[in-house]
Amino acid sequence: MNEEAGQGVRPPGATPHLLIESQGPGAGGAGFLRDARDLARLGHRVQLLLIQEGVGAAVGAAPWSAREAAAAGAEVLVDDFSLTQRGLCAAQLLPTARIVDMAEVSARLLEPDVRVVWH
């Protein structure tokens, strides 16, 4: 097989999905978190960014949580500004959640082939 022919071909699930949750608890937010979980379970690369009211899903004790998405392999990212605005700190978050700033988020948004969904 010609090695050059295979260049640029991504295996299934290699294209990152950047799912941005900005809403608080509710049917829509819970469904969006399930979508992140399900995509991760199917082997897709999932980055779940929690901003604004969505940061509550990263709090470890919250009944409405990103815990299942993280357990399925999704990378859970939490906006530092939104976290601070709500008086939350890193110690309150899921152990696998990572705090990010908008510079990192911007870089992820500009990645080639990224699939972005904002809720």
Side-chain angles (χ1 to χ4, degrees):
M1 180 168 128
N2 184 348
E3 289 183 48
E4 289 181 6
Q7 290 181 350
V9 176
R10 292 176 175 257
T15 300
H17 290 72
L18 177 58
L19 304 180
I20 304 172
E21 176 58 61
S22 63
Q23 299 180 23
F32 197 74
L33 295 176
R34 282 192 302 273
D35 290 345
R37 177 203 63 199
D38 292 346
L39 282 168
R41 282 183 179 168
L42 290 170
H44 293 276
R45 186 172 156 219
V46 177
Q47 301 162 333
L48 176 62
L49 172 63
L50 304 171
I51 65 169
Q52 298 171 332
E53 297 304 320
V55 298
V59 174
W64 174 77
S65 174
R67 182 178 284 112
E68 287 185 18
E75 181 181 8
V76 177
L77 309 172
V78 183
D79 172 47
D80 63 344
F81 180 78
S82 299
L83 197 65
T84 301
Q85 289 292 304
R86 283 148 188 83
L88 298 170
C89 65
Q92 296 170 284
L93 301 180
L94 296 170
T96 56
R98 188 167 62 82
I99 299 171
V100 297
D101 61 17
M102 278 300 133
E104 183 173 342
V105 171
S106 297
R108 287 173 186 262
L109 285 168
L110 296 174
E111 284 181 13
D113 301 327
V114 68
R115 294 179 181 162
V116 180
V117 180
W118 194 305
H119 180 254

